[in-house]
Amino acid sequence: MNGAQQAALAARKKDIRSRWLLSTPALAIIFFAAVGPLFVMLLYSFMAKGDYGDVRFGEFSLDGWTSVFFQRDIFDDTLGFADAHLSIIWRSIQLSFFTTLLTLLLGFPTAYFIATRPPHTREIWVFLVTIPFWTNLLIRTFAMQQVIRNEGLLNNALIWLGVIKSPLQIMYTDTANLLGMTYVYLPLMVLPLYASIEKLDFRLVEAGYDLYATRFQVLRRIVIPLVKPGLVAGSILVFIPSLGAYVIPRVLGGGKNMMLGNLIEMQFGSGRNWPLGAAMSITLMALVMVALIVYVRNASRGGAGHA
Amino acid sequence: MLRSRFDVRAQPGFGLVTLFTFFALYLPIGALVIYSFNGADSLSRWDGFSTRWFVTAWQNAAVQDAAMRSLIIAIWAAFLATVAATMAALATTRTEPYRGLTFKYALINQPLMVPEIVTAVALLIVFSRIKVWTGYSGLGYLIAAHTAFCIPFAYLPIRARLESMDLTLERAAADLYATPWMTFRHVTLPLLRPAVIAGFMLAFVISLDDVVITEFVKSGGQDTLPTYMLGQLRRETSPEINAIATVFLALSTALVVIFFFINRKQATERN
């Protein structure tokens, strides 16, 4: 080996060392305060529950996992489905799905409209979407409460208009959850959609019209397939936080309209069943993973033909 | 009347939906701000314009305490996250692709992929154990947790900037026998500064806004402004909360506006 090769090798080694050294602080913090705890939680889900929260160390138990889905009858000790848990899980999935749908119905036309403005105006529209997005989630949830509570803006306006006589009870219902989540997560749908519509080649749209397509056909057969990556990204960004929503159902949904996030919290708080809470958290993560895989599969299948 | 030229870009009705979207986005925030100037003792009726609830909130010791704690945590978390993210961004851009790079990306962005409530309870499990072992129950846990979920937000703008930067200057510095550190200090960092500031501000706003993780990680008496507000919402909501929310809103809007202008300046400089 000659000198030049040796020097190159040494430089390479130094480069490898420095890039690992440089990324160590970030990786270490994330491992300590984000990824690592997830593994500890996985262990906890397989331990016996302690009497006052926590777990009994070293005592292996599957109770946490079985009680996510099943419950023992207090009278005859038979195992039945845990209806309360399952209905909350089902509600979370349904509400997240409808939230995604609603944000899509509002977000797509909005993103399209913004993307077809002149460049300078576009920037201002996007900025206006960004402001609510960076506003504290709790504050936005709380702001929604100002609109839908019994003496809130919506009811006052409807009564004033003579549409209804007494206020509609929207707070503490599933509708409140749905409206709150749609409101809070709407920017997460608009922004990625906008990014992909902005890149759309409108000559293709024009070609469609030249071939006598109607506006609806152009939208369905040309625009939507081409902006699918943005559509998928937006849907993931809305669906995932909706599934794990905690603050919105707590403030707007009340005790009867809990979602999975609140159920998990309950096991760590008053329920004092940490293994169950841990198992539920992992269930939630599994649901998120399934959603991600379905979306990504869809995206790669739809996107490949147009790339 | 002249028939307007056929516009291939327009879609009928989209303008109306957009109008509705923006109305819906701003109506609740607007309502919150207006209600915060309500002089009445409860939210149910309007009793004329007043700033009394701002005064009440300002003089509330618990609010002052929580606001101070929020600031301390956000400054520390944003600072640590920005330093760690800048280093990590250098490590993932100023190098040939290598094994483990994808894994690093995944790890750095991991806090974005897991639902917050899951991270929150996982941290509760681990930190409550460490509390028992070490007896320490200071702000360290909160700062560590905030730093972790702030890292991806600081990382994104810094990496984007590094990727779009011209390498000639750095190479020239190296040719002139500058050490890597000198090159970084005198060439890379000055060019990177706007992105570092942007990353710091994003991390700061993200930390300031966090409710869920803070709620689960905090020890007794360690309320931040958001967890204080969440706690108050359990009871009958008072106009005082509206006033706090309005000030908070103004503050984070101001930060976002500044961020917007830094970004725009950066974009025009590039062109």
Side-chain angles (χ1 to χ4, degrees):
Chain A
M1 201 186 274
N2 64 35
Q5 272 175 323
Q6 242 168 358
L9 201 71
R12 215 181 118 64
K13 264 192 183 157
K14 212 179 142 200
D15 184 39
I16 292 173
R17 201 178 335 128
S18 75
R19 72 197 175 202
W20 280 106
L21 274 178
L22 279 172
S23 43
T24 298
L27 298 182
I29 295 167
I30 287 176
F31 188 80
F32 172 67
V35 182
L38 295 180
F39 288 107
V40 178
M41 190 168 67
L42 185 66
L43 281 179
Y44 263 56
S45 73
F46 289 106
M47 285 194 224
K49 91 179 181 70
D51 294 331
Y52 308 99
D54 215 330
V55 292
R56 271 183 265 160
F57 276 100
E59 229 176 283
F60 176 81
S61 161
L62 282 174
D63 280 356
W65 279 99
T66 46
S67 43
V68 175
F69 306 105
F70 303 103
Q71 60 186 0
R72 208 166 277 287
D73 194 293
I74 34 171
F75 296 111
D76 57 10
D77 213 38
T78 50
L79 220 53
F81 283 111
D83 296 333
H85 295 172
L86 293 178
S87 74
I88 290 175
I89 294 173
W90 180 232
R91 172 188 291 127
S92 296
I93 295 173
Q94 272 182 310
L95 281 176
S96 307
F97 177 75
F98 285 122
T99 302
T100 312
L101 201 68
L102 266 179
T103 52
L104 197 59
L105 286 176
L106 285 175
F108 185 82
T110 305
Y112 188 94
F113 183 83
I114 297 175
T116 49
R117 295 307 99 194
H120 192 74
T121 349
R122 250 183 256 171
E123 205 178 49
I124 296 166
W125 284 106
V126 172
F127 180 55
L128 285 176
V129 179
T130 325
I131 290 186
F133 173 62
W134 286 117
T135 302
N136 189 313
L137 176 117
L138 178 66
I139 292 180
R140 279 185 290 161
T141 310
F142 187 43
M144 197 36 146
Q145 194 182 323
Q146 309 300 306
V147 176
I148 60 177
R149 65 195 168 85
N150 286 3
E151 304 91 10
L153 274 187
L154 183 67
N155 273 316
N156 281 350
L158 288 176
I159 290 171
W160 184 74
L161 286 169
V163 182
I164 50 170
K165 288 238 151 44
S166 55
L168 299 170
Q169 177 65 43
I170 306 174
M171 278 294 286
Y172 312 123
T173 65
D174 280 340
T175 314
N177 278 336
L178 183 63
L179 288 176
M181 293 201 296
T182 305
Y183 174 59
V184 165
Y185 298 129
L186 187 56
L188 288 173
M189 180 64 91
V190 176
L191 295 172
L193 267 175
Y194 164 77
S196 69
I197 298 174
E198 202 207 4
K199 288 196 206 97
L200 182 69
D201 185 353
F202 276 93
R203 284 175 305 183
L204 294 168
V205 174
E206 222 171 320
Y209 286 125
D210 286 346
L211 296 168
Y212 297 103
T214 62
R215 283 199 187 275
F216 182 70
Q217 282 172 324
V218 164
L219 199 64
R220 203 172 70 87
R221 307 283 291 269
I222 301 174
V223 178
I224 290 180
L226 285 175
V227 301
K228 204 168 175 187
L231 223 77
V232 171
S235 304
I236 290 177
L237 286 177
V238 172
F239 190 80
I240 289 177
S242 301
L243 211 52
Y246 166 73
V247 172
I248 300 165
R250 176 166 158 183
V251 175
L252 299 178
K256 277 191 199 149
N257 298 277
M258 279 202 259
M259 286 179 61
L260 199 40
N262 313 91
L263 188 59
I264 290 171
E265 190 255 3
M266 224 174 89
Q267 305 313 324
F268 284 92
S270 56
R272 289 188 180 160
N273 194 342
W274 287 24
L276 173 58
M280 277 176 179
S281 303
I282 292 161
T283 307
L284 172 57
M285 260 171 48
L287 286 173
V288 166
M289 291 302 164
V290 170
L292 265 175
I293 291 168
V294 169
Y295 279 127
V296 169
R297 275 243 178 107
N298 258 328
S300 55
R301 208 184 301 143
H306 301 282
Chain B
M1 209 172 98
L2 263 169
R3 193 170 163 274
S4 59
R5 210 174 64 83
F6 182 79
D7 183 1
V8 289
R9 300 171 143 243
Q11 288 289 343
F14 278 21
L16 272 178
V17 178
T18 308
L19 225 65
F20 176 77
T21 297
F22 279 93
F23 177 70
L25 277 181
Y26 281 91
L27 178 75
I29 302 178
L32 181 83
V33 174
I34 292 169
Y35 278 119
S36 71
F37 289 103
N38 186 358
D41 284 332
S42 95
L43 281 173
S44 332
R45 61 195 171 81
W46 179 260
D47 201 18
F49 179 88
S50 155
T51 51
R52 59 181 274 222
W53 292 109
F54 289 90
V55 179
T56 317
W58 182 255
Q59 290 166 344
N60 185 338
V63 175
Q64 288 173 359
D65 208 37
M68 208 44 172
R69 197 169 291 114
S70 279
L71 277 178
I72 292 170
I73 295 168
I75 289 171
W76 270 109
F79 171 73
L80 294 174
T82 312
V83 172
T86 309
M87 290 168 71
L90 284 167
T92 50
T93 54
R94 290 291 178 268
T95 155
E96 300 287 307
Y98 56 95
R99 250 158 44 104
L101 191 61
T102 332
F103 175 69
K104 269 189 204 172
Y105 279 140
L107 212 55
I108 288 170
N109 289 313
Q110 184 272 349
L112 299 176
M113 299 311 294
V114 178
E116 225 187 339
I117 182 79
V118 174
T119 311
V121 293
L123 285 171
L124 170 75
I125 289 175
V126 171
F127 287 168
S128 67
R129 190 74 351 228
I130 300 178
K131 264 178 219 174
V132 173
W133 284 337
T134 62
Y136 172 74
S137 61
L139 286 182
Y141 303 106
L142 279 171
I143 292 172
H146 279 229
T147 306
F149 68 72
C150 283
I151 284 177
F153 290 95
Y155 176 75
L156 288 173
I158 297 172
R159 198 194 79 184
R161 174 79 175 172
L162 275 172
E163 275 177 349
S164 70
M165 249 163 60
D166 192 356
L167 283 178
T168 11
L169 289 171
E170 284 171 45
R171 290 222 183 90
D175 285 346
L176 295 167
Y177 298 103
T179 61
W181 169 248
M182 281 158 74
T183 312
F184 176 73
R185 173 75 190 76
H186 296 287
V187 181
T188 316
L189 190 60
L191 289 169
L192 199 60
R193 191 170 293 128
V196 172
I197 295 173
F200 178 88
M201 279 169 55
L202 279 187
F204 185 79
V205 173
I206 291 290
S207 164
L208 214 55
D209 280 0
D210 181 74
V211 199
V212 182
I213 289 175
T214 312
E215 175 78 4
F216 285 83
V217 170
K218 75 183 166 74
S219 309
Q222 282 185 344
D223 266 316
T224 59
L225 214 40
T227 64
Y228 173 80
M229 287 197 284
L230 186 67
Q232 292 295 304
L233 287 180
R234 282 197 185 132
R235 301 166 212 160
E236 175 72 13
T237 57
S238 88
E240 188 185 1
I241 296 295
N242 273 5
I244 300 169
T246 299
V247 174
F248 206 136
L249 190 81
L251 190 78
S252 49
T253 308
L255 280 172
V256 175
V257 171
I258 296 170
F259 173 69
F260 174 75
F261 282 109
I262 289 179
N263 238 349
R264 198 153 81 160
K265 201 172 150 234
Q266 203 179 323
T268 42
E269 270 170 10
R270 219 176 284 154
N271 291 336

